[in-house]
């Protein structure tokens, strides 16, 4: 296998097939040098290897399953061919233990993406199966160096092992999902990065947690956002230095390390403040032979942004169920059942009255190239991270108000009671999922698919 190992264990594409194995491993999640937790990881590591693909190229990749469970790889946020989307039961059969599957990972859009299983995701991601995929844009970089922060939320038991006893816990599934008690960055409980005063960093942030919406405060670093979910945005400064990212979302930030240097803490502040890590800046102020480009904005991706709303297909999505949700009955595999009997089967959420599965008919079918507009209503007591495969969408309105900036998401966070209308051009043929990326909600019914024909 011809591949070059980059710093950080990254793998670069050189047009040669690459192999990634899912297998068991260990990680020091509790404390560096401390007890080793048994995990499942790509190449046995957490996170798995960083895969770099130059924009516009296609990476042939062989996935080998060395786990005891069937699995797949889904390329989150990547607009690739449907046959390689990695959804077990919809776009491919799950890869059995000892078997392999060959993917063609086409990368039309530059940006920060990630990969993870799409079979028993709620268990396989919680055990550590995920990695980052970076699609590199061509051209001069407007920063000196990049950092990658892959955040995860783990539930460990007293032995500092992954709490397996609580997999499938109905309370988690019917409430906010599986929330953890340990936060890691790049697989470690605390990160320490060094930087030079005056250095300009590009920081890629990924939330791989099953269900926890993360909120990071970058003390006095004044990050500017340049991309969300991989797609460039007009650069803007974060309000009070705080970055909110829902499960599966990514953000690319530009950080100018202050000239006076110092230690800059990064805390997670969604609950009690939790120390995620720090960037320590010291030494002489950064000097460059050639100045960096002034403009930090990223080049546009070849995404179809031309919505034709006048003749769009309109598809309403009512999000229902969960604890304190008021859903009394829903349809599971074509049979209407009350919530109590659904709960006995671990099904507590629904879209449009249907507890979702791949066996249901498509939510809608749309001719290739047509615009889809989808008013989504969160009629539940919990937030949800709504994700669409194979496309990026924009928010037309949130609770009736037009957003202040243009963003092309693959995942959007919706608070209880919120109504968000999204739209996208359905230009990628195939069967694509729409689901909540709080993985317990997905498994318990918040899932559907649509077809672009
Ligand atoms: Cu990241 Cu359908 O998932
Ligand atoms: Cu959800």
């Amino acid at each position: 296998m011809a591949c070059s190992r980059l710093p950080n264990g990254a793998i670069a594409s050189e047009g040669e097939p690459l192999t990634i194995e899912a297998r068991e491993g260990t990680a020091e999640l509790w404390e560096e040098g401390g007890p080793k937790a048994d995990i499942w990881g790509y190449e046995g590591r957490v996170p798995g290897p960083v895969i770099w693909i130059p924009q516009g190229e296609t990476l042939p990749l062989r996935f080998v399953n060395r786990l005891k469970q069937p699995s797949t790889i889904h390329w989150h946020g990547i607009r690739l061919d449907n046959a390689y989307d990695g959804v077990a039961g919809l776009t491919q059969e799950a890869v059995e233990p000892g078997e392999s599957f060959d993917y063609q990972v086409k990368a039309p859009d530059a940006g920060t993406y990630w990969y993870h299983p799409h079979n028993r995701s709620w268990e396989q991601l919680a055990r550590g199966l995920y990695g980052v995929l970076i699609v590199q844009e061509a051209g001069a970089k407007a920063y000196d160096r990049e950092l990658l922060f892959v955040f995860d939320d783990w539930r460990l038991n007293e032995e500092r092992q992954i709490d397996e006893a609580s997999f499938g816990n109905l309370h988690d599934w019917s409430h906010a999902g599986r929330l953890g008690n340990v936060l890691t960055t790049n697989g470690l409980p605390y990160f320490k990065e060094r930087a030079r005063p005056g250095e300009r960093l590009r920081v890629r942030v990924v939330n791989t947690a099953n269900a926890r919406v993360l909120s990071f405060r970058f003390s006095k670093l004044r990050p500017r956002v340049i991309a969300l979910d991989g797609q460039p945005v007009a650069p803007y400064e974060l309000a009070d230095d705080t970055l909110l990212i829902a499960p599966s979302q990514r953000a690319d930030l530009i950080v100018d390390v202050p000239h006076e240097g110092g230690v800059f803490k990064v805390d997670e502040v969604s609950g009690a403040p939790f120390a995620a890590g720090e960037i320590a800046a010291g030494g002489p102020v950064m000097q460059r032979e050639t100045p960096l480009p002034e403009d930090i904005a990223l080049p546009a991706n070849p995404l179809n942004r031309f919505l034709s709303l006048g003749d769009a297909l309109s598809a309403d999505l009512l999000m229902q169920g969960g604890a304190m949700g008021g859903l009394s009955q829903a349809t599971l595999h074509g049979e209407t059942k009350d919530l109590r009997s659904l709960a006995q089967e671990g099904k507590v959420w629904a879209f449009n009255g249907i507890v979702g599965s791949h066996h249901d008919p498509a939510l809608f079918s749309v001719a290739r190239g047509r615009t889809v507009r989808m008013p989504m209503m969160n009629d539940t007591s919990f937030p949800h991270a709504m994700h669409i495969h194979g496309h990026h969408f924009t928010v037309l309105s949130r609770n009736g108000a037009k957003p202040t900036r243009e963003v092309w998401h693959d995942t959007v966070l919706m608070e209880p009671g919120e109504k968000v209308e999204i739209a996208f051009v359905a230009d990628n043929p195939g069967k694509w999922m729409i689901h909540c990326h709080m993985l317990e909600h997905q498994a318990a019914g918040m899932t559907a698919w649509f077809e672009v024909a």
Side-chain angles (χ1 to χ4, degrees):
M1 181 183 70
C3 71
S4 46
R5 297 267 160 182
L6 297 176
N8 239 346
I11 302 179
S13 149
E14 286 168 4
E16 297 290 327
L18 202 69
T19 297
I20 288 206
E21 269 188 22
R23 57 171 184 257
E24 294 175 9
T26 58
E28 292 160 4
L29 303 172
W30 180 255
E31 84 185 313
E32 215 175 332
K36 288 190 192 302
D38 296 322
I39 55 101
W40 295 359
Y42 292 114
E43 300 296 304
R45 306 203 303 260
V46 142
V50 178
I51 300 173
W52 290 77
I53 307 180
Q55 183 174 13
E57 290 191 12
T58 296
L59 174 69
L61 185 140
R62 172 161 296 174
F63 165 57
V64 181
N65 185 4
R66 302 266 176 235
L67 303 168
K68 293 188 216 93
Q69 245 180 38
S71 192
T72 62
I73 302 185
H74 167 61
W75 311 92
H76 184 114
I78 297 287
R79 297 186 299 124
L80 43 48
D81 293 346
N82 191 243
Y84 305 114
D85 198 42
V87 179
L90 187 69
T91 66
Q92 68 171 95
E93 291 307 314
V95 182
E96 294 296 325
E99 306 276 292
S100 69
F101 188 89
D102 291 337
Y103 291 95
Q104 295 287 336
V105 189
K106 190 168 84 183
D109 303 322
T112 307
Y113 302 93
W114 64 302
Y115 60 98
H116 63 73
H118 225 294
N119 190 50
R120 292 177 72 87
S121 312
W122 51 275
E123 175 183 357
Q124 297 192 0
L125 275 85
R127 289 185 183 275
L129 284 166
Y130 55 81
V132 168
L133 170 58
I134 294 177
V135 182
Q136 188 64 59
E137 59 275 346
K141 296 181 171 61
Y143 47 88
D144 297 301
R145 194 158 59 92
E146 50 183 271
L147 299 179
L148 175 61
F149 293 151
V150 185
F151 292 112
D152 197 5
D153 172 46
W154 303 81
R155 189 183 293 179
L156 302 186
N157 61 22
E158 273 161 18
E159 284 75 53
R160 313 299 184 218
Q161 293 292 328
I162 290 169
D163 183 358
E164 296 179 330
S166 61
F167 277 133
N169 176 299
L170 190 63
H171 185 275
D172 292 343
W173 287 40
S174 60
H175 289 72
R178 181 183 177 91
L179 300 175
N181 47 17
V182 170
L183 179 78
T184 60
T185 311
N186 303 338
L188 291 171
Y190 192 80
F191 73 83
K192 281 188 173 175
E193 288 287 348
R194 306 205 144 274
R196 297 266 299 277
E199 194 175 8
R200 177 170 284 177
L201 304 169
R202 175 180 185 168
V203 182
R204 299 178 190 261
V205 178
V206 187
N207 181 354
T208 65
N210 272 41
R212 191 182 288 278
V213 178
L214 295 168
S215 187
F216 292 98
R217 187 156 298 158
F218 292 79
S219 65
K220 300 195 182 64
L221 285 174
R222 306 172 69 103
R224 283 177 289 170
V225 181
I226 54 169
L228 290 170
D229 288 355
Q231 302 294 350
V233 293
Y236 67 95
E237 199 169 312
L238 281 176
D240 65 18
D241 267 9
T242 304
L243 175 71
L244 183 77
I245 43 168
S248 91
Q249 289 185 319
R250 290 87 60 214
D252 286 51
L253 311 172
I254 290 288
V255 166
D256 283 304
V257 181
H259 275 79
E260 57 278 18
V263 177
F264 303 92
K265 302 270 186 200
V266 179
D267 292 324
E268 202 280 319
V269 295
S270 67
F274 189 96
E278 65 189 43
I279 299 176
V285 171
M286 183 94 190
Q287 303 288 346
R288 302 177 190 89
E289 280 173 20
T290 39
L292 292 176
E294 273 298 308
D295 190 4
I296 58 166
L298 292 165
N301 278 326
L303 192 68
N304 191 346
R305 285 180 203 76
F306 303 101
L307 301 170
S308 178
L309 293 172
D311 56 358
L313 177 91
S314 196
D316 280 73
L317 195 77
L318 182 63
M319 302 149 60
Q320 304 162 294
M324 303 164 289
L327 180 72
S328 56
Q329 56 172 49
T331 304
L332 174 64
H333 307 313
E335 230 186 289
T336 303
K337 299 183 171 186
D338 63 19
L339 200 60
R340 168 186 284 256
S341 29
L342 289 172
Q344 282 164 357
E345 300 181 52
K347 301 292 182 186
V348 284
W349 302 93
F351 286 152
N352 298 344
I354 296 169
V355 176
S357 81
H358 300 328
H359 307 293
D360 298 315
L363 194 59
F364 59 85
S365 172
V366 61
R368 184 179 184 182
R370 192 165 173 201
T371 297
V372 175
R373 61 192 296 170
M374 193 183 269
M376 303 190 292
M377 174 66 209
N378 181 0
D379 193 19
T380 80
S381 297
F382 292 89
H384 301 285
M386 295 298 293
H387 170 51
I388 288 185
H389 285 209
H391 299 79
H392 281 245
F393 56 85
T394 194
V395 171
L396 298 177
S397 67
R398 190 180 279 267
N399 295 329
K402 197 174 177 305
T404 48
R405 60 179 61 89
E406 185 179 339
V407 181
W408 289 83
H409 308 261
D410 57 53
T411 306
V412 66
L413 180 63
M414 292 176 66
E415 296 298 333
E418 272 198 316
K419 181 171 183 174
V420 171
E421 188 177 8
I422 62 166
F424 60 97
V425 180
D427 56 1
N428 200 355
K431 295 177 173 178
W432 303 105
M433 290 195 72
I434 170 165
H435 64 85
C436 176
H437 221 289
M438 273 95 170
L439 301 172
E440 293 70 28
H441 296 171
Q442 177 194 355
M446 281 199 136
T447 181
W449 62 279
F450 61 94
E451 181 150 36
V452 181

